[in-house]
Each structure stands twice: as C-alpha cells, then as structure tokens.
C-alpha cells in the first residue's frame, strides 16, 4: 500500500507521527531562472512510524518516474564517496573471490561510480539505473547499464537472460523504494542460490540520536533500523548474516544477505551486536519515535538563532553544497536569501540553477574566493571533513565554517 495510511511493508495502520516538517518541494527539483516566476508544488513532509514493524516512512506523494527519471545527483562528484566505493569493491572482490566468471549487479548504479572499480579488476558488471541522464554517464565510461526501475518484473527478465548475480549491490537505494515488498522480492529472484547481496542505507539510530532530520525528504520513502530490515528481508526469504557500521551519510549500515536455504554462511556476531545497540537506543520502543519532533524543533531554533545573530552583526553567509538534505533543512527552517546569499556546488548539473523552495542561487565554488563570506554553512554535513579541506582558503580572510546538525557548530 502506497497511500501513506498503512505501512508499506506490513500494511498495519499508520497513526504515530515521527517527524512533521511542514510542506516542502521535492528536494532535487532544482529550478532554472525561467521557472522562478512559476508556482512550485509543495507536498506534506510528514514521516510516520509503524507500531507493528517500526518502519519509519513517508507516503509516495509523486511516482518514482517523476522523481528519479531525470536526476541531478551524480555520485562521482564526491571524492570521499569515490574512495568509499573503491575500498568496498576491493574488499568484496577479495572476500567473495570474485573473478572474470562472476557477475556483479548494482541497483541504482548512478553514473558508474562503483562498478568502474569491479570492471577495472576484470569482473563483469551490470548497472540498473532509472535516471536516463545519469545512466548515460555510466555508459560513456564503459559500464553496461539498463535503464529501468528495479522490482520483481525486472529481476525475472534478467533471470531469463541469464544475468543472475553472484554479488548484488544496492547502495542508498533501499530508502528510495515506494513498493518495498516488490523490490526485495526482486532481490531474491535475481540473487544466485549461493550469491551474496549487500545493501547500504543510513542508520535510523544515527538519525534519531544525532537529530539528522534533514535526511527526511520525499525521495526517501523509508528509514531503516537493522531491527526492521531483518524483518523485511526475512519475510522474503533472505537471511542477514553480517552487518557493518559505516561513517558514510552521517552513519550507515551495510548489511550482507543470503538465501535462507544457503546455510554455507553462518550468522556472524556483528548482527546481534548491532541489534543490541538499537535496543539500548530505544528503537524497539515506540516512545522513542514520538519524542523526535521535539529534538527537531530545538535544532531549528539553534540554527535560526545563529543566523539571526550573524546577520545582525553584518556578517555575510554563503552555503556549500546543494544536497537534498540541505533543501529539507532550509525549507523547514525558513531560510532564504535573507540569510544565505548563495550556495556553491561542484556539480555543473546544479550550477546556474536555484534551490527548490528557498530559491537560493547555486554557483560554482570559485565564487567563495571572489565574495569572501564570513561564514560558510556546510549543507552536506556528512562530508564536512572533505569540504573543510577543499575550502580552506576561507581562513585567509578569517572566514569560518558552520555545521548545522545536530546543533550549530562553528569551525575555525
């Protein structure tokens, strides 16, 4: 069920609010100059949690085709993410002994940022990517890419074509799936009997404990703990036998799955360890979810207090980045060009456009040196180390960095 009144996994009624962020446009619906005179559609940004399975979720306010068919996010523009991808590829090739006879398939393969490393080691790859403009970039770098949304139907077609996966990958795609059961059923179909799947997704525990409410936006339909992910995959005959805690995206999990009938890989102690950590953090208690709204409101007040004080002192403030999370933050807090002069982004696909809702212009990073702002607000705070290193020039004129999550932090 996709209407937002029943859980998309177990179909129980949804009555408990997790985060009410008002109304916002789609976070990747960047505007051109010509569109500034037109109306923008805003949709309720209301996340609820299921009492039964504890899946945090948003209703599908738009079809996946409208959200993802032409996409502005290209993974290759983040150096730290490329390093993460390369490290992963090397580790999986060694751990699961992948070679020229193996088949690696990545769902939501973006611009080939990850599969390029498997290909370089001689491992056959296939990407599945719904955004045609992004898939074209992958094909240009020699990565075979199927432009399709993934689900059971696509998996069945690939199975008939003999494209079963020895390693089936999904990095930051699980949250983007409105029909969760169809997607996970497709994973089971496409995975070889002795194959391994890995999925990475932001960890709900980190979101709750570190007030990462800006990671809530319409393109994310679900938010996962291991407690809930284990239930979802088990329902479709997939056992999670290992898990790793990662630092990416403010704290993520990488889960490892196998067919329930494949008992060659035992369940490792890391699974129970992370489950225990989640229970200690209250993720098995609905009361934990009901308290999150108050935390969100406190962070909003902190950010606005800082921005108001800085502007009263005559300070100039610019942003760094044009990520989806930044658009949630700015729209929820009501930040426009009265606080933020502009933002910069390395991606030429975003430069020259305007942030949705706030309509803050997106410029090239060179503008920072030209205008010499007093503060640089880091919107993709999960990449703050990379950005502080890239933009260290602001210290030449006494500029400082600002990180908004979980509370405002100024970095000199």
């Amino acid at each position: 069920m996709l209407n937002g009144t029943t859980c998309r996994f177990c179909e129980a009624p949804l009555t408990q609010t997790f985060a009410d962020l008002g109304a916002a446009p789609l976070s990747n619906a960047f505007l051109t100059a010509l569109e500034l005179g037109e109306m923008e559609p805003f949709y309720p940004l209301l996340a609820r949690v299921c009492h039964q399975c504890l899946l945090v979720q948003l209703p599908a306010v738009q079809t996946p085709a409208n959200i993802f068919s032409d996409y502005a996010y290209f993974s290759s523009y983040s150096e730290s993410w490329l390093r993460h991808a390369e490290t992963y590829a090397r580790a999986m090739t060694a751990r699961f002994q992948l070679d020229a006879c193996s088949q690696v398939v990545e769902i939501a393969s973006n611009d080939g940022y990850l599969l390029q490393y498997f290909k370089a080691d001689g491992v056959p790859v296939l990407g599945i990517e719904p955004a045609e403009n992004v898939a074209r970039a992958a094909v240009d770098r020699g990565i075979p890419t199927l432009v399709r949304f993934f689900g059971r139907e696509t998996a069945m077609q690939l199975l008939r074509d003999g494209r079963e996966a020895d390693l089936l990958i999904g990095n930051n795609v699980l949250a983007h799936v409105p029909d969760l059961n169809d997607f996970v059923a497709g994973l089971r179909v496409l995975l070889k009997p002795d194959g391994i799947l890995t999925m990475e997704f932001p960890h709900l525990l980190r979101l709750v404990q570190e007030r990462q409410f800006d990671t809530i936006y319409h393109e994310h339909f679900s938010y996962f703990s291991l407690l809930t992910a284990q239930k979802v995959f088990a329902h479709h005959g997939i056992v999670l036998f290992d898990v790793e805690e990662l630092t990416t995206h403010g704290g993520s999990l990488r889960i490892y799955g196998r067919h329930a009938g494949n008992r060659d890989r035992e369940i490792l102690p890391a699974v129970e360890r992370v489950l225990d950590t989640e229970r200690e953090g209250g993720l098995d208690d609905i009361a934990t979810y009901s308290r999150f709204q108050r935390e969100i409101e406190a962070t909003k007040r902190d950010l606005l207090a800082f921005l108001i004080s800085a502007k009263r002192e005559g300070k100039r403030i610019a942003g760094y980045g044009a990520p989806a999370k930044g658009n949630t933050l700015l729209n929820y807090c009501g930040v426009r060009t009265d606080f933020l002069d502009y933002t910069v982004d390395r991606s030429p696909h975003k430069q020259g456009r305007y942030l949705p809702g706030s309509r803050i212009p997106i410029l090239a990073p060179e503008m920072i040196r030209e205008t010499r702002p007093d503060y640089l607000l880091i919107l993709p705070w999960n990449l703050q180390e990379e950005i502080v290193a890239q933009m260290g020039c602001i210290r030449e004129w006494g500029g400082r960095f600002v990180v908004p999550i979980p509370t405002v932090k100024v970095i000199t």
Side-chain angles (χ1 to χ4, degrees), residues 203 205-206 243-247 251-254 273-274 277:
H203 192 185
L205 183 64
R206 299 277 81 80
V243 61
E244 295 178 61
E245 295 179 274
L246 309 173
T247 59
S252 298
L253 294 181
R254 177 187 293 149
R273 177 177 56 78
V274 173
T277 300

Side-chain angles (χ1 to χ4, degrees), residues 71-388:
Y71 207 47
Y73 179 73
F74 287 70
S75 297
S76 292
Y77 286 102
S78 170
E79 294 176 5
S80 60
W81 188 242
L82 288 176
R83 291 194 299 271
H84 174 75
E86 183 175 14
T87 300
Y88 166 85
R90 303 285 183 258
M92 296 304 103
T93 299
R95 179 174 179 178
F96 301 119
Q97 300 178 329
L98 303 174
D99 55 27
C101 296
S102 305
Q103 176 69 68
V104 173
V105 179
E106 184 184 11
I107 300 162
S109 51
N110 204 264
D111 57 6
Y113 75 101
L114 170 60
L115 292 180
Q116 64 180 332
Y117 298 113
F118 287 103
K119 185 185 178 199
D121 284 345
V123 181
V125 300
L126 174 67
I128 303 172
E129 169 56 51
E132 185 176 357
N133 64 317
V134 179
R136 196 177 309 121
V139 172
D140 288 345
R141 58 164 42 114
I143 305 300
T145 304
L146 178 65
V147 182
R148 292 282 298 273
F149 284 96
F150 183 79
R152 196 171 188 279
E153 181 181 345
T154 297
M156 290 296 294
Q157 182 59 56
L158 290 169
L159 181 65
R160 289 190 288 268
D161 295 341
R163 305 299 292 270
E164 285 179 288
D166 294 281
L167 177 63
L168 184 55
I169 306 167
N171 285 350
N172 301 304
V173 61
L174 195 62
H176 292 77
V177 177
D179 195 339
L180 183 59
N181 287 311
D182 178 66
F183 182 85
V184 180
L187 297 177
R188 184 176 185 275
V189 168
L190 190 55
L191 188 65
K192 279 187 178 179
D194 59 350
I196 302 297
L197 70 81
T198 72
M199 295 269 139
E200 293 182 20
F201 49 83
H203 192 185
L204 181 63
L205 183 64
R206 299 277 81 80
L207 188 157
V208 170
Q209 293 183 336
E210 298 173 23
R211 298 185 183 181
Q212 297 171 1
F213 70 89
D214 57 339
T215 60
I216 298 172
Y217 44 90
H218 297 107
E219 291 90 331
H220 280 174
F221 298 112
S222 304
Y223 298 82
F224 291 89
S225 62
L226 184 60
L227 286 161
T228 298
Q230 189 179 59
K231 294 175 187 176
V232 172
F233 282 87
H235 179 75
H236 291 280
I238 296 175
V239 172
L240 303 186
F241 68 89
D242 196 8
V243 61
E244 295 178 61
E245 295 179 274
L246 309 173
T247 59
T248 53
H249 294 284
S252 298
L253 294 181
R254 177 187 293 149
I255 57 173
Y256 293 76
R258 58 164 171 81
H259 285 289
N262 173 18
R263 302 186 182 277
D264 292 340
R265 298 186 184 276
E266 63 180 10
I267 299 176
L268 299 178
V271 173
E272 193 59 36
R273 177 177 56 78
V274 173
L275 291 173
D276 284 343
T277 300
E278 291 185 345
R279 295 184 190 106
E280 291 169 5
L283 292 193
D284 60 344
D285 183 355
I286 197 69
T288 300
Y289 300 84
S290 66
R291 292 192 292 266
F292 189 56
Q293 182 68 34
R294 294 195 295 274
E295 299 294 314
I296 291 172
E297 292 165 359
T299 296
K300 175 178 180 175
R301 288 191 292 269
D302 286 346
L303 178 60
L304 287 176
F306 169 80
L307 294 174
I308 291 169
S309 175
K311 295 304 285 186
R312 282 177 173 165
E313 293 172 6
K315 303 297 185 182
R316 293 165 298 173
I317 309 171
Y320 188 99
K325 60 166 59 75
N327 291 323
T328 292
L329 178 75
L330 298 177
N331 280 299
Y332 174 63
C333 294
V335 175
R336 305 288 187 265
T337 52
D338 51 347
F339 287 117
L340 212 60
D341 297 341
Y342 60 86
T343 191
V344 301
D345 198 278
R346 295 181 67 194
S347 173
H349 303 281
K350 297 180 181 180
Q351 293 168 11
R353 295 193 175 194
Y354 296 80
L355 297 181
S358 66
R359 303 191 168 202
I360 294 169
I362 308 169
L363 307 175
E366 292 75 21
M367 186 59 63
I368 297 296
R369 184 174 285 279
E370 291 182 26
T371 61
R372 299 163 72 92
D374 299 290
Y375 292 107
L376 191 61
L377 178 65
I378 300 177
L379 296 174
W381 44 260
N382 53 301
L383 301 177
Q384 62 181 277
E385 292 183 6
E386 175 182 338
I387 293 165
V388 167

